[in-house]
Amino acid sequence: MGIQTWTFIIVGLTFALYIGIAIWSRASSTKEFYVAGGGVSPLANGLATAADWMSAASFLGMAGIIAFSGYDGSVYLMGWTGGYVLLALLLAPYLRKFGKFTVPDFIGDRYYSNLARTVAVVAALFVSFTYVAGQMRGVGVVFSRFLDVEVNTGVYIGMAVVLFYAFLGGMKGITYTQVAQYCVLIFAFMVPAIFISLMATGNPIPQLGMGSAGSDGVYLLDKLDGLMTDLGFTAYTDGTKSTTDIFFITAALMLGTAGLPHVIIRFFTVPKVKDARKSAGYALLFIAILYTTAPAIAVFARTNLMETVQDTPYKEIPDWFTKWEETGLIAWTDKNGDGKIQYLPGSAVEGKKPMFSEARGAVGQRLITNASATRNELYVDRDITVLANPEIAGLPNWIIALVAAGGLAAALSTAAGLLLVISTSISHDLIKKQFAPNISDKRELLIARVSSLFAVVVAGYFGINPPGFVASVVALAFGLAASSFFPAIVMGIFSKRMNREGAITGMIAGLAITSYYIARFKLGWIGNPETSTETHWWFGISPEGFGTVGMLVNFVIAIVISRFTAPPPAEVQEIVENIRIPSGAGDAVQH
Amino acid sequence: MDASQRKKYWRENLKYLAILLAIWFVVSYGFGILLVDELNAIRLGGFKLGFWFAQQGSIYVFVVLIFVYVQLMNKLDKKYDVNE
């Protein structure tokens, strides 16, 4: 059977599974809708958190980013895993003990202020919307690539599927679908990786294969470093970013991870405090399986690419090269007219992507109209690293179809988790807590369902009409989470002295300075565009890493202000005492 | 549980956090970033050690840290009779 048929069968089967789970796990109360009734086992929650966390970008994009940035890619590996240590040690157990539904619930109660709650809701909505826009786009792109439909049609299909289980099951439906989605995505990621590792080094474990020697007895990483430095690239294991920048970006991603509302609320779903700790461990374990495999795939793919194409005549190039050239993800322009491919530092094209003319060159290659002045002749889209793996390894068609299902599972699970945060923020934090405190549970459940419908439509709209800033979404979402939620929650647990005034000014200051910096240096919305380049960065910190500075500003301002204002009332200090003791998690709501 | 017991429980918890977070910092920011060039002079099979910590080792240590924390806290909860 062809790839297309297999893809329809496997994607169809997985979708039927997700919908079946959604029908089985319908929510009948707000507690089930918001936190799955608080009855999810730590293992299931760990699996669901891992699927929630790993987006289409992790699944399809990360190995590629690392393959083309070498050591610099470590910021994502450490940044997107190390945050779970902070989450497990500093946040999850205490927030579970607190025992409410949302992050703004905690901020509002702990800082005895509706203003604090509102700041938190706005930040949660902003972070989640920016993040989900990218996810819906991702769903569309995966569909269009594997099922040969328009990107927009893909977005509609994705919206329909997510809506089905978010609307029916809320957190309960989402959690159990995510468990299934994790299994699909990790299987789809690991099978090609194991085969490629076997082919490259004879070792079936990619994490070990990466540090092994190939058939010629030379260590793979040494060979890759050699290949790259010979051609004028920086060595793969060295990287080009400054140590300061690597430090700050890693920290911003870690702190942001620990502050993202859609990750935090997952720990409200387990029955006990000790389950919250344990399930953070499981979550990181399941995430680590993919995150330690990705750098191995990166090394195999980059080595394979450099060895296969360098100075190879286009006529003798393997089939996968021309196949991906047809899709526009690879482009070759014969700048020196020798009919061979030269892959050198610098971009082969002007702008971001190659622009193809309809014409063919002397040896049958697709001609492009925007060749750059560098000597590099090859353009490779980074996403190809995971997509082309099974073909390069010569794996059967059903595995290629599985990768499509895995990519969709990754994108859908993340989108669903974010949509839940959005609908909860609207129905619980805004409507129930601010405008209509006396509505019945049934009514609130209905409002929650309508909000999820609203959230899916808005996310879908952004997926179809991506705002210009989608490319900067990651920097923005993580920077804002790191500079607002993380300090406010940590101080709320670890300092009894932290009060309303300190927390609110701290959050606003952190959000403001981080937004300003990103608007100034990433988006170019403020100030003279000529001075928004790298040389003008403050302390050499890139916008991606500035969330760390925002976090520090938040801490300092909050502590200073709180020392000059009245301490929190006795009953709030009592809440803090209470969340520090694990027993009695079920009753914490009474305070 | 009276106030002094609570205080003792909390203090032991904070001690664990300080030790575990120090390890967390050293393996990632220390070995993987600040000291990466020095450690790269040492080899671990086909890996330069600093590079290994940045792309593999730190992640393994993170996972272990959380499970160690779970064990330590379960014991502590039992000792102070606050487990469920």
Side-chain angles (χ1 to χ4, degrees):
Chain A
M1 270 191 284
I3 295 178
Q4 193 84 350
T5 324
W6 271 117
T7 308
F8 276 113
I9 293 174
I10 293 184
V11 170
L13 281 177
T14 57
F15 276 26
L17 175 68
Y18 306 154
I19 288 171
I21 293 172
I23 294 172
W24 164 73
S25 57
R26 283 188 309 277
S28 55
S29 68
T30 51
K31 197 170 183 212
E32 287 191 345
F33 194 91
Y34 293 145
V35 293
V40 181
S41 82
L43 182 66
N45 190 51
L47 289 162
T49 310
D52 200 326
W53 179 237
M54 292 187 287
S55 59
S58 288
F59 185 90
L60 293 173
M62 198 168 55
I65 292 175
I66 300 163
F68 290 89
S69 63
Y71 168 77
D72 288 347
S74 315
V75 296
Y76 301 107
L77 294 168
M78 289 187 283
W80 286 337
T81 53
Y84 278 85
V85 179
L86 297 175
L87 206 57
L89 271 56
L90 301 178
L91 309 174
Y94 309 105
L95 292 174
R96 174 63 197 91
K97 175 64 196 294
F98 178 69
K100 292 284 181 70
F101 293 153
T102 67
V103 174
D105 261 345
F106 175 78
I107 305 262
D109 287 9
R110 167 61 183 85
Y111 296 115
Y112 45 101
S113 151
N114 248 339
L115 178 61
R117 187 191 303 274
T118 311
V119 174
V121 174
V122 171
L125 284 175
F126 198 78
V127 168
S128 303
F129 264 122
T130 40
Y131 212 113
V132 84
Q135 295 306 316
M136 293 313 276
R137 189 81 194 156
V139 173
V141 170
V142 174
F143 264 110
S144 74
R145 206 163 277 168
F146 289 104
L147 294 176
D148 217 13
V149 294
E150 285 283 306
V151 173
N152 289 357
T153 316
V155 175
Y156 291 129
I157 302 175
M159 278 166 70
V161 175
V162 174
L163 182 65
F164 194 83
Y165 56 78
F167 188 84
L168 269 184
M171 185 57 125
K172 199 175 163 200
I174 288 173
T175 301
Y176 293 110
T177 6
Q178 281 171 337
V179 171
Q181 283 162 336
Y182 178 80
C183 300
V184 172
L185 81 86
I186 202 69
F187 188 68
F189 198 81
M190 294 308 292
V191 169
I194 289 168
F195 274 99
I196 299 231
S197 181
L198 263 176
M199 279 169 52
T201 65
N203 193 326
I205 302 168
Q207 287 83 345
L208 300 177
M210 178 186 176
S212 305
S215 50
D216 51 1
V218 182
Y219 283 123
L220 220 54
L221 282 163
D222 292 341
K223 185 171 18 174
L224 182 54
D225 276 351
L227 284 169
M228 290 183 61
T229 42
D230 285 351
L231 295 169
F233 292 98
T234 314
Y236 187 82
T237 53
D238 279 347
T240 54
K241 284 194 166 91
S242 76
T243 303
T244 319
D245 205 20
I246 295 262
F247 189 99
F248 274 83
I249 296 176
T250 307
L253 295 178
M254 282 195 194
L255 299 161
T257 305
L260 282 174
H262 75 280
V263 178
I264 294 175
I265 56 160
R266 292 239 43 103
F267 297 97
F268 295 128
T269 65
V270 294
K272 293 177 203 158
V273 170
K274 67 191 239 194
D275 298 331
R277 298 181 192 132
K278 204 191 215 172
S279 103
Y282 281 132
L284 184 58
L285 175 67
F286 296 133
I287 292 167
I289 295 174
L290 191 145
Y291 273 51
T292 52
T293 304
I297 293 181
V299 170
F300 302 141
R302 187 70 189 263
T303 312
N304 190 8
L305 178 73
M306 311 260 326
E307 283 189 323
T308 310
V309 303
Q310 196 60 40
D311 285 320
T312 306
Y314 180 82
K315 288 194 156 158
E316 294 165 19
I317 209 80
D319 282 345
W320 60 262
F321 187 97
T322 40
K323 194 200 144 195
W324 289 98
E325 186 187 9
E326 290 309 316
T327 65
L329 294 182
I330 284 183
W332 172 62
T333 163
D334 194 8
K335 288 176 181 167
N336 59 1
D338 64 354
K340 294 178 186 166
I341 297 164
Q342 270 87 34
Y343 180 37
L344 296 164
S347 175
V349 298
E350 293 293 343
K352 285 204 169 130
K353 294 205 179 296
M355 283 183 281
F356 294 94
S357 67
E358 290 304 308
R360 294 280 168 167
V363 281
Q365 81 273 28
R366 294 181 74 187
L367 291 179
I368 61 169
T369 55
N370 60 337
S372 70
T374 63
R375 283 170 51 230
N376 179 21
E377 301 182 343
L378 185 69
Y379 165 86
V380 184
D381 189 305
R382 295 185 300 199
D383 285 353
I384 210 173
T385 313
V386 168
L387 291 172
N389 247 344
E391 286 165 89
I392 295 174
L395 298 179
N397 287 344
W398 65 269
I399 290 185
I400 301 173
L402 197 62
V403 173
L408 283 168
L412 289 173
S413 56
T414 308
L418 288 158
L419 288 169
L420 187 86
V421 171
I422 295 171
S423 60
T424 310
S425 291
I426 297 170
S427 65
H428 184 75
D429 297 324
L430 280 180
I431 297 178
K432 165 95 174 167
K433 289 286 176 169
Q434 310 266 26
F435 300 116
N438 299 321
I439 49 173
S440 68
D441 195 63
K442 245 193 166 144
R443 240 328 298 215
E444 194 187 339
L445 182 61
L446 180 70
I447 297 172
R449 290 209 157 109
V450 175
S451 310
S452 71
L453 179 68
F454 167 79
V456 171
V457 172
V458 175
Y461 175 82
F462 282 132
I464 289 163
N465 307 298
F469 59 82
V470 156
S472 334
V473 156
V474 170
L476 210 61
F478 279 86
L480 296 180
S483 60
S484 60
F485 290 126
F486 181 77
I489 301 174
V490 166
M491 289 185 293
I493 296 164
F494 289 86
S495 158
K496 270 193 254 177
R497 182 66 181 75
M498 183 47 61
N499 62 6
R500 168 177 67 194
E501 291 78 3
I504 296 174
T505 41
M507 274 199 289
I508 292 177
L511 282 173
I513 191 163
T514 309
S515 314
Y516 168 80
Y517 197 81
I518 291 171
R520 170 87 175 77
F521 291 104
K522 182 96 193 175
L523 303 168
W525 287 350
I526 307 171
N528 180 359
E530 277 173 27
T531 60
S532 52
T533 53
E534 209 172 314
T535 47
H536 296 87
W537 288 349
W538 303 355
F539 326 109
I541 300 168
S542 60
E544 285 77 7
F546 201 78
T548 311
V549 180
M551 184 266 316
L552 293 171
V553 168
N554 184 334
F555 267 117
V556 170
I557 290 197
I559 290 166
V560 170
I561 299 273
S562 70
R563 290 296 172 271
F564 290 101
T565 42
E571 65 267 25
V572 171
Q573 303 202 23
E574 182 64 22
I575 295 181
V576 180
E577 278 287 342
N578 195 288
I579 57 175
R580 291 177 177 183
I581 305 297
S583 53
D587 306 315
V589 186
Q590 301 311 321
H591 275 282
Chain B
M1 191 187 210
D2 62 31
S4 78
Q5 285 287 92
R6 277 177 180 232
K7 211 169 229 168
K8 265 166 106 185
Y9 170 84
W10 187 244
R11 232 183 251 140
E12 285 200 47
N13 177 18
L14 291 182
K15 189 184 76 191
Y16 291 153
L17 292 187
I19 296 168
L20 295 172
L21 287 177
I23 300 172
W24 166 83
F25 185 87
V26 167
V27 294
S28 51
Y29 297 93
F31 296 164
I33 299 175
L34 299 173
L35 300 171
V36 69
D37 293 331
E38 286 76 4
L39 287 183
N40 274 346
I42 307 168
R43 306 279 309 206
L44 181 75
F47 290 104
K48 293 177 183 168
L49 191 58
F51 180 81
W52 181 78
F53 266 107
Q55 301 214 334
Q56 296 277 313
S58 58
I59 303 176
Y60 300 140
V61 177
F62 294 156
V63 176
V64 172
L65 282 178
I66 300 186
F67 283 106
V68 168
Y69 170 73
V70 170
Q71 285 307 316
L72 288 173
M73 289 309 283
N74 284 348
K75 245 193 227 156
L76 190 67
D77 290 354
K78 280 213 182 88
K79 185 172 154 195
Y80 285 86
D81 201 24
V82 289
N83 67 314
E84 288 179 292

